[in-house]
Amino acid sequence: MSAVAPDDHAPLTAPPRGLSGYAPLPGVPDEAVAPDGTIRPLWARLAGHLAGLAPDDLASALARADQYLNDSGVFYRQYGAGSSTERPWPLSHVPVLLEQSDWDAISEALVQRADLLEALMADLYGPNRMVASGRLPPALVAGNPEWLRPMVGIAPRSGHYLHFVAFELGRGPDGKWWVLADRAQAPSGAGYALENRVATSRAFSGLYASQHVHRLAGFFRDFRDALMGQRQDSETRVSILTPGPLNETYFEHAWIARYLGFNLVQGEDMMVEQGQLKLRTVAGPRPVEVLWRRLDSSYADPIELDQNSRIGTPGLVSALRAGGLSMVNALGSGVLETRALMAFLPQLAPDLTGAPLKMPNLATWWCGDPLAAAAVQAAPERLILSPALATGMPFDLPGADQCRAGDLAPADLAQRLAAEGAGLVAQEAVTLSTTPALVDGRLVPRPVTIRVFVARTARGWVVMPGGFARIGARPDPEAIAMQRGGSSADVWVVSPEPVSQTSMISVANTPLRRATPGALPARAADNLFWLGRYVERTEGMVRLLRACHMRLAEGGSAAAPLLEAAAPLFALQGIEPDEAIPQGLLDTLSLAISSAGRVRDRFSPDAWSALADLEKSARRMAQRSQPGDDAARALSALLRKLAGISGLIHENMYRFTGWRFLTIGRQHERAMGLAAALAVLADPGAAEGALDLAIEYGDSVMTHRRRFALAASRPTVIDLLALDPLNPRSLRHQIDGLREEIDLLHAANDHGALSPLACTVLRLHADLATQDPATLTTRRLWALRSRIGHISDQITAAYFH
């Protein structure tokens, strides 16, 4: 292996302290340690870096990586026992290192394999020569649920079936790389690979800066530019189709959409009209020309594919048939992942690419072939039987779906091959190389596979210079699967020479033209509107609860009548005043988290982290805080966190349609809360002290003192909290804001012709602006609240359907 620095050439006769105690598994190749027990030169610098870190320094380095992932909200959805939970991203902190020369050979082989899959896909959905000539068994195609008959004969608009593929690689006992599985359906992990890179570089910043590690940004930039180049109308946006927030890799879908500047959409967001796929937006249907599909093909269209799908778009296949869009990857590409195909790809490669495979795949026998079945019967040792039409790697399957052929009695094996041969595949048991992983503070060998991504760009296939390594939780390969506790590591491709510092910025020779932000999907607008409402509703609850608990802490006979007077407000908000942090408040926060989670691509990581931290803090305080002073202090802490979230959400977002709906939601909810609070607390029959409670709820104590320099009265409170347009907490200020923002929405004000929604808001604004404290009675306040509530219904009808 070539060295990465002059002083790395000499092999080490003993492991440096950074790898002291590290012992590779007997008989298993290791990425870091050579067969003679010396550290491989490529790993010497990393080993030396680890050796130079004191235990506390190492712990701090790892904590920096973990903190980055936590702050970024990186998660993985874990399934089990009929439910799913979000678990923190399982990072294995020690990167996997690969030499440039090794990587060049890998890249060349994978580009050839990508061409092979493209050619095979074109044949399976076109002339079908491979089956007609007998080189592929018909059963592996016609009986394959991943081969979609409605897609036969539909030529992709882009001219290519595949644009983004991935390959699972493992290094065998002979030191050579093998393809363990092909990923052509909707390969995941590229976004996680980049997050792994950022996190690992945080942990080992000094080392990463000094190593010649190839950057990943150029790969994403080239692929982004290639997808944008497929558009015929430069004003349209590339969209990423996700199954939704409950998918195990939803975070990655949202992250990539945000990183590349694409729309993140779900099946329900789109419709097909006259052969054109269109996105439902708040400005009406808009064409979708390029769609990066991140869900399985069969779910994409409930009309022509799986009729039970609830996450697809009816008519999507007809849009593809009409040439109305380009899709990444073409529907039906999951057939290429079929495990049994690996038995035939080595023979098909010379026919379809003109050369034998440059990298072998896992040795595979399709047991429907009598000769292959006989070979399995003759030498069953180290062979694993599994379903022929399954996809992925053998150790990704549940144990019941596979077995070792050698564990069966010869007669039982023969009987099974005879009865089920066409549905079985035999593959060689995997012996994976190991890599150092930190487990409980110690470096231990763990099996590793690497997922490598290949993207079609303007200059052909490009291989990501790195990848997504999966590290086993135990020494056996079955523990690599993420759902079984496996972790993930960064992959460093180390060059002997300095590498270019690429970025996502494309070098353009054309003058800058400020692009108009894309139309906002209706579902995203709906969630942003309700996010604004839920966050504002939470703040209203916290302010009301804090004011009441402060009075409970002061004691005295006045607290009880005041709490009784505020009872209608507690009932409206669904909270119990005798609890420090009531369940109703926690439920509202959960709704805010849910709404934010559905627009992760439009929600800043800082704001998401702050919102998640607020919920955790509230739940922790609910368990510890007691009514009275303790609760008041806890609620004050929550208010400070809410203020930070408001700043991150409302001050940092681009002032376009998404921000507008978020702001409308906040103003609408604040107006609803103020109208109810004033109707209850400023009622002439309210208990003594209710007016002061209203002022605190409206966060206007200092303003009231400065403006009125006298004790609160109903006229002063109504004037300040209902009618003063300069008070940002007043009812008038919210209605002013609603009128202004709604007037800027699509079709709300067409050269003076107002929509029904805009007319409603204008009438409401005029009625409130012409009131005074004497005429704004309790009855009118309740009527105003009802009219404000109707605005939400009109917004929903006009923009969210």
Side-chain angles (χ1 to χ4, degrees):
M1 294 184 181
S2 62
V4 296
D7 58 355
D8 290 333
H9 279 286
L12 303 175
T13 57
R17 189 160 57 87
L19 291 178
S20 62
Y22 180 78
L25 299 176
V28 178
D30 191 88
E31 296 296 321
V33 179
D36 61 2
T38 61
I39 300 298
R40 298 183 190 273
L42 178 65
W43 287 75
R45 183 171 289 177
L46 174 59
H49 181 79
L50 294 174
L53 293 176
D56 288 347
D57 294 334
L58 177 60
S60 297
L62 304 186
R64 286 196 297 271
D66 294 337
Q67 188 62 50
Y68 165 77
L69 294 172
N70 181 68
D71 292 344
S72 299
V74 186
F75 71 89
Y76 182 80
R77 188 165 293 281
Q78 182 80 39
Y79 298 105
S83 63
S84 66
T85 57
E86 291 182 5
R87 71 180 269 210
W89 182 245
L91 176 68
S92 183
H93 298 85
V94 180
V96 178
L97 307 186
L98 295 174
E99 286 187 293
Q100 177 72 62
S101 58
D102 203 4
W103 190 255
D104 289 342
I106 290 173
S107 298
E108 184 179 355
L110 296 187
V111 166
Q112 181 208 29
R113 196 172 183 93
D115 283 334
L116 171 60
L117 295 183
E118 169 73 25
L120 181 56
M121 179 83 172
D123 180 73
L124 292 178
Y125 288 97
N128 211 10
R129 287 189 295 264
M130 297 300 103
V131 172
S133 64
R135 281 171 286 185
L136 265 183
L140 294 185
V141 180
N144 195 324
E146 297 294 344
W147 183 71
L148 305 180
R149 187 177 297 275
M151 299 305 300
V152 173
I154 299 180
R157 190 175 84 166
S158 68
H160 298 286
Y161 290 86
L162 303 178
H163 304 83
F164 193 85
V165 294
F167 303 97
E168 303 279 1
L169 306 184
R171 199 194 293 263
D174 58 359
K176 295 182 180 179
W177 290 96
W178 295 71
V179 175
L180 304 177
D182 301 301
R183 304 288 188 183
Q185 171 81 270
S188 62
Y192 287 121
L194 193 49
E195 288 287 50
N196 285 348
R197 171 61 54 86
V198 178
T200 305
S201 64
R202 296 281 179 93
F204 307 114
S205 55
L207 175 68
Y208 179 75
S210 64
Q211 294 275 61
H212 302 150
V213 181
H214 283 277
R215 273 41 176 182
L216 305 181
F219 172 83
F220 288 96
R221 179 198 62 209
D222 291 346
F223 185 54
R224 177 201 63 192
D225 293 348
L227 293 187
M228 294 177 67
Q230 292 184 29
R231 301 171 301 165
Q232 296 179 357
D233 181 354
S234 62
E235 294 300 320
T236 62
R237 295 277 295 278
V238 177
S239 295
I240 297 178
L241 175 60
T242 175
L246 295 181
N247 184 262
E248 62 181 350
T249 56
Y250 173 74
F251 169 83
E252 183 192 35
H253 305 164
W255 187 92
I256 288 183
R258 186 169 59 241
Y259 185 62
L260 301 182
F262 294 166
N263 275 331
L264 185 66
V265 302
Q266 296 182 33
E268 62 182 319
D269 295 333
M270 298 181 293
M271 57 190 290
V272 175
E273 289 183 345
Q274 298 179 343
Q276 174 68 61
L277 182 66
K278 294 185 178 180
L279 178 64
R280 292 185 173 95
T281 78
V282 296
R286 291 291 185 269
V288 177
E289 287 196 279
V290 182
L291 187 66
W292 185 358
R293 173 178 58 84
R294 300 303 300 269
L295 53 75
D296 288 352
S297 298
S298 59
Y299 296 132
D301 185 348
I303 293 181
E304 297 200 51
L305 303 176
D306 187 346
Q307 63 181 359
N308 296 314
S309 174
R310 296 295 180 268
I311 57 177
T313 302
L316 184 58
V317 171
S318 67
L320 291 168
R321 189 177 290 116
L325 77 151
S326 176
M327 179 173 285
V328 178
N329 289 322
L331 292 178
S333 55
V335 68
L336 302 174
E337 299 183 357
T338 304
R339 188 167 298 161
L341 279 184
M342 283 195 162
F344 301 92
L345 290 180
Q347 290 74 42
L348 296 178
D351 293 333
L352 295 176
T353 69
L357 285 177
K358 296 179 180 179
M359 181 184 293
N361 54 237
L362 198 61
T364 305
W365 293 263
W366 176 57
C367 298
D369 179 0
L371 294 178
V376 173
Q377 179 74 39
E381 299 80 12
R382 292 189 53 78
L383 292 182
I384 295 177
L385 291 177
S386 61
L389 300 183
T391 59
M393 296 183 288
F395 39 80
D396 281 341
L397 286 176
D401 290 339
Q402 60 185 8
C403 70
R404 290 184 175 272
D407 292 344
L408 299 175
D412 293 338
L413 177 60
Q415 182 179 6
R416 185 171 182 185
L417 290 175
E420 307 174 32
L424 292 175
V425 67
Q427 291 185 300
E428 189 175 13
V430 178
T431 299
L432 296 173
S433 65
T434 58
T435 191
L438 274 167
V439 178
D440 297 328
R442 295 178 57 250
L443 282 170
V444 295
R446 288 290 183 261
V448 58
T449 64
I450 298 176
R451 182 175 297 181
V452 182
F453 301 91
V454 183
R456 189 182 297 280
T457 70
R459 52 193 177 92
W461 289 112
V462 173
V463 181
M464 178 192 287
F468 173 82
R470 293 200 294 175
I471 311 296
R474 301 183 303 277
D476 57 292
E478 286 80 1
I480 277 185
M482 301 287 283
Q483 292 289 342
R484 302 182 194 178
S487 57
S488 173
D490 190 16
V491 178
W492 290 7
V493 178
V494 182
S495 170
E497 305 292 337
V499 298
S500 60
Q501 302 297 312
T502 57
S503 72
M504 287 295 292
I505 300 175
S506 299
V507 178
N509 296 321
T510 57
L512 173 66
R513 183 177 66 86
R514 183 178 296 165
T516 302
L520 182 69
R523 180 185 51 83
D526 190 3
N527 281 288
L528 287 167
F529 173 75
W530 279 100
L531 174 60
R533 291 199 63 175
Y534 288 137
V535 171
E536 186 63 34
R537 187 176 300 177
T538 300
E539 181 177 339
M541 289 179 176
V542 171
R543 290 192 179 280
L544 181 62
L545 285 165
R546 184 180 68 162
C548 291
H549 281 286
M550 288 176 66
R551 283 154 178 77
L552 286 174
E554 295 169 358
S557 58
L562 195 57
L563 292 179
E564 183 177 351
L569 292 181
F570 290 117
L572 277 175
Q573 297 182 344
I575 55 178
E576 297 292 336
D578 55 351
E579 297 179 20
I581 310 291
Q583 185 61 42
L585 174 59
L586 300 179
D587 292 342
T588 302
L589 270 175
S590 294
L591 291 170
I593 289 281
S594 178
S595 294
R598 289 178 168 84
V599 287
R600 287 290 292 270
D601 58 314
R602 299 175 182 275
F603 206 59
S604 80
D606 288 337
W608 172 263
S609 179
L611 189 57
D613 178 65
L614 173 68
E615 187 192 29
K616 291 177 184 177
S617 298
R619 295 191 180 280
R620 185 173 60 251
M621 292 174 180
Q623 296 174 352
R624 300 176 181 176
S625 303
Q626 299 298 319
D629 181 66
D630 191 34
R633 286 187 284 108
L635 291 162
S636 293
L638 291 182
L639 269 180
R640 290 191 292 271
K641 289 179 179 288
L642 277 164
I645 292 172
S646 295
L648 286 168
I649 292 177
H650 301 297
E651 299 305 321
N652 294 351
M653 284 184 69
Y654 187 75
R655 294 305 198 260
F656 200 62
T657 314
W659 175 88
R660 185 155 294 124
F661 276 99
L662 190 67
T663 300
I664 289 171
R666 176 177 60 86
Q667 293 169 336
H668 181 277
E669 188 66 32
R670 184 174 291 183
M672 292 277 288
L674 278 167
L678 291 174
V680 171
L681 300 176
D683 184 81
E688 184 179 354
L691 292 174
D692 291 327
L693 184 61
I695 296 172
E696 288 184 46
Y697 175 82
D699 192 25
S700 299
V701 174
M702 291 181 60
T703 306
H704 187 274
R705 288 174 182 169
R706 289 179 177 176
R707 283 202 59 201
F708 298 106
L710 43 82
S713 64
R714 187 180 190 280
T716 64
V717 170
I718 294 295
D719 184 70
L720 180 63
L721 293 182
L723 303 176
D724 191 340
L726 300 182
N727 181 7
R729 288 280 173 177
S730 75
L731 181 57
R732 168 69 185 277
H733 190 85
Q734 311 316 311
I735 302 303
D736 285 354
L738 284 174
R739 180 188 174 190
E740 178 181 345
E741 299 302 335
I742 288 175
D743 199 52
L744 295 173
L745 293 179
H746 174 74
N749 187 340
D750 186 8
H751 299 88
L754 301 184
S755 69
L757 170 62
C759 288
T760 297
V761 177
L762 180 60
R763 293 189 190 101
L764 180 64
H765 179 271
D767 287 350
L768 183 60
T770 55
Q771 299 291 331
D772 59 46
T775 60
L776 194 55
T777 62
T778 298
R779 181 178 179 180
R780 281 186 171 172
L781 283 166
W782 282 120
L784 279 172
R785 186 179 187 277
S786 178
R787 292 169 66 184
I788 295 167
H790 182 57
I791 291 174
S792 178
D793 297 335
Q794 287 187 286
I795 291 173
T796 299
Y799 296 105
F800 301 158
H801 290 306

